[in-house]
Amino acid sequence: MSKQRVTGPAKSRDASKNEANQSEKEVTANENASAVAVGEQATQPTVTIDGKEYTLESLGQQGREQLQNLRVTDQELQRLQDQLAITQTARNTYARILAEVTQSVTPVK
């Protein structure tokens, strides 16, 4: 059984995190394993929205589409946050090297 957490849009800055946490809705999808032991009843995949559990089927086509939109959006947010971390690391490295270079140069003021 795989479990995936999907949340609404969140802002990447620390100052905005509290605001985002207050306004975002928590959505958790539980993909149930398809193998069922003899005598057990197969369960349908479910999603938890604001603490309430729904079957994916009960959401209808529009609800499933919006859930997929949330998943895609969260993946893109994660990709952008990863890219931002890489860029910040590179910037810090460039600044450190520039500081080392300026140690051997006389400032004009």
Side-chain angles (χ1 to χ4, degrees):
M1 176 188 310
S2 66
K3 194 171 195 179
Q4 187 172 20
R5 180 168 184 231
V6 182
T7 59
K11 298 176 183 172
S12 61
R13 296 278 177 223
D14 289 340
S16 300
K17 283 185 181 180
N18 290 336
E19 177 186 321
N21 288 337
Q22 291 171 355
S23 65
E24 80 182 12
K25 296 187 180 260
E26 184 174 323
V27 178
T28 306
N30 300 313
E31 306 283 338
N32 295 316
S34 59
V36 177
V38 176
E40 288 186 18
Q41 192 174 31
T43 58
Q44 295 180 358
T46 61
V47 62
T48 302
I49 302 171
D50 293 336
K52 298 175 186 172
E53 191 170 319
Y54 303 90
T55 63
L56 290 179
E57 185 178 309
S58 72
L59 296 178
Q61 183 64 28
Q62 184 180 18
R64 289 188 301 272
E65 287 173 2
Q66 295 309 311
L67 182 60
Q68 181 60 28
N69 289 340
L70 280 172
R71 288 176 177 159
V72 169
T73 302
D74 283 343
Q75 289 172 353
E76 180 65 7
L77 282 169
Q78 185 60 56
R79 186 191 71 77
L80 291 169
Q81 288 170 347
D82 292 345
Q83 187 64 41
L84 179 61
I86 291 167
T87 305
Q88 286 175 329
T89 300
R91 186 195 185 287
N92 292 341
T93 301
Y94 301 147
R96 182 183 48 79
I97 292 170
L98 180 59
E100 290 171 5
V101 167
T102 59
Q103 287 178 354
S104 62
V105 177
T106 305
V108 292
K109 287 189 178 182

